[in-house]
Amino acid sequence: MAILERTHLAIIRAVDEHGSLTAAAEKLHLTQSALSHTIRKLEDQLGLPVWHREGRGLRPTQAGEYLLAVANRLLPQLGYAEERLKEFARGERGALRIGMECHPCYQWLLKIVSPYLGAWPAVDVDVKQKFQFGGIGALFGYEIDMLVTPDPLHKPGLTFEPVFDYEQVLVVGPDHPLRKLPHALPKHLADETLITYPVPVDRLDIYTQFLTPAGIAPRRHKPIETTDIMLQMVASGRGVAALPRWLVEEYASKLDVAPVKLGKQGVAKQIFLGYREADADIDYLRAFVDMARTHRDA
């Protein structure tokens, strides 16, 4: 007879998330006494405590910390499996949950999603943009099925495929002197306001591949969340930005902005699609990757 059950893991996780037995019991629709009894019985069977009781608070023991790690890994997978089985029972193929680790990639992704939905009518697509720095964990935790990123972090159990090549460029406004140059040098940005997405400097190509190696920093760094506002700021002479060339060229028909090559050689980048190796044979996931490759010139 198995000692460890799914209920035990759910309780361990709920107490960690909600801070107390009372809140965890409410979340799990159990009475506090039933929850306490369940864990006490588990501790008796294991022969060791799961929590240290400190007044009204609970602090996990070494065993409790281990069980919490197991719960955080297994419960999302079980939930994912159950949802997939329910979809099969309803006659649906499933859902493709896509996480974004790339702000400007959203516009590129829309070009793929539209024809994909037409080709796979029984598959739902959900795009999550809250994984700017936790995409790998979200893949392993079954919160998403695919990650869009320009900077893949290769880990055992994951596959990343390049699907789109692009050039990162400097974006300048109508009267900017750099607009007349064949390429920008790091020193040209020393007196500039550099507008970027709200991403740490060590994750921004304009710094890691252009400014930092030259020992240059812009006069001011201004983070802005949305592409539209960022480019309107550039067009009004409030600063310069760094974006994919294809995106700048799309906006050039609406705003007076222009791309300038970053350095003589430019900064070459790729968009990658990452997914779990175990899901490599899912036909609708594979189809999305293949369709993304056909839009390399999007």
Side-chain angles (χ1 to χ4, degrees):
M1 180 178 178
I3 295 176
L4 192 60
E5 300 176 4
R6 184 176 179 178
T7 302
H8 299 134
L9 298 180
I11 292 173
I12 296 289
R13 197 182 196 201
V15 170
D16 179 70
E17 288 179 352
H18 300 284
S20 70
L21 289 175
T22 302
E26 182 177 346
K27 175 68 176 178
L28 297 173
H29 306 291
L30 297 171
T31 64
Q32 184 175 335
S33 60
L35 188 151
S36 298
H37 175 75
T38 299
I39 292 300
R40 194 179 308 113
K41 183 178 179 181
L42 174 64
E43 290 176 327
D44 290 342
Q45 290 177 306
L46 293 174
L48 76 172
V50 173
W51 289 301
H52 294 300
R53 290 160 178 82
E54 299 176 341
R56 293 186 176 182
L58 297 173
R59 180 170 58 85
T61 62
Q62 184 178 12
E65 292 281 7
Y66 175 75
L67 284 178
L68 178 60
V70 171
N72 287 335
R73 185 171 68 251
L74 292 184
L75 290 177
Q77 295 185 34
L78 290 172
Y80 174 75
E82 289 173 348
E83 185 56 36
R84 287 288 305 279
L85 291 172
K86 289 177 183 177
E87 290 166 353
F88 294 153
R90 293 193 296 262
E92 300 172 0
R93 293 301 303 272
L96 186 62
R97 300 164 302 167
I98 303 172
M100 303 293 294
E101 255 191 1
C102 171
H103 282 79
C105 295
Y106 185 75
Q107 283 90 337
W108 169 83
L109 184 67
L110 292 179
K111 299 176 184 291
I112 317 301
V113 169
S114 180
Y116 179 81
L117 290 173
W120 292 84
V123 178
D124 291 333
V125 173
D126 184 16
V127 178
K128 302 175 183 290
Q129 298 187 71
K130 302 300 184 184
F131 298 101
Q132 300 302 328
F133 316 109
I136 298 296
L139 272 176
F140 278 122
Y142 284 75
E143 297 173 64
I144 58 174
D145 308 304
M146 182 176 287
L147 179 65
V148 181
T149 180
D151 301 300
L153 184 59
H154 296 280
K155 294 280 188 179
L158 299 181
T159 295
F160 286 91
E161 297 191 37
V163 294
F164 182 62
D165 303 325
Y166 67 95
E167 180 190 1
Q168 191 83 340
V169 296
L170 190 72
V171 196
V172 298
D175 301 317
H176 201 287
L178 288 178
R179 191 163 180 158
K180 300 177 182 179
L181 298 182
H183 60 267
L185 298 175
K187 65 180 182 180
H188 293 145
L189 273 66
D191 291 324
E192 295 285 349
T193 294
L194 178 61
I195 303 170
T196 75
Y197 294 108
V199 176
V201 167
D202 61 3
R203 300 264 306 190
L204 290 167
D205 296 316
I206 184 69
Y207 279 93
T208 60
Q209 297 194 43
F210 189 66
L211 292 173
T212 303
I216 300 291
R219 178 175 57 84
R220 183 185 178 201
H221 178 195
K222 184 175 182 60
I224 290 182
E225 181 75 29
T226 61
T227 304
D228 288 323
I229 300 300
M230 181 186 296
L231 287 173
Q232 287 179 21
M233 292 281 285
V234 171
S236 65
R238 309 289 183 88
V240 297
L243 290 169
R245 180 181 289 275
W246 63 266
L247 184 60
V248 180
E249 290 173 347
E250 282 191 3
Y251 273 86
S253 63
K254 298 176 285 185
L255 294 169
D256 194 355
V257 294
V260 179
K261 182 176 288 190
L262 286 168
K264 193 173 182 179
Q265 303 301 320
V267 174
K269 294 289 292 180
Q270 291 177 303
I271 293 176
F272 290 80
L273 296 183
Y275 53 87
R276 293 177 291 272
E277 289 179 357
D279 294 342
D281 293 329
I282 296 177
D283 54 357
Y284 60 81
L285 184 148
R286 183 72 250 165
F288 191 93
V289 176
D290 293 340
M291 191 171 289
R293 280 209 177 92
T294 68
H295 286 72
R296 294 181 85 92
D297 299 322

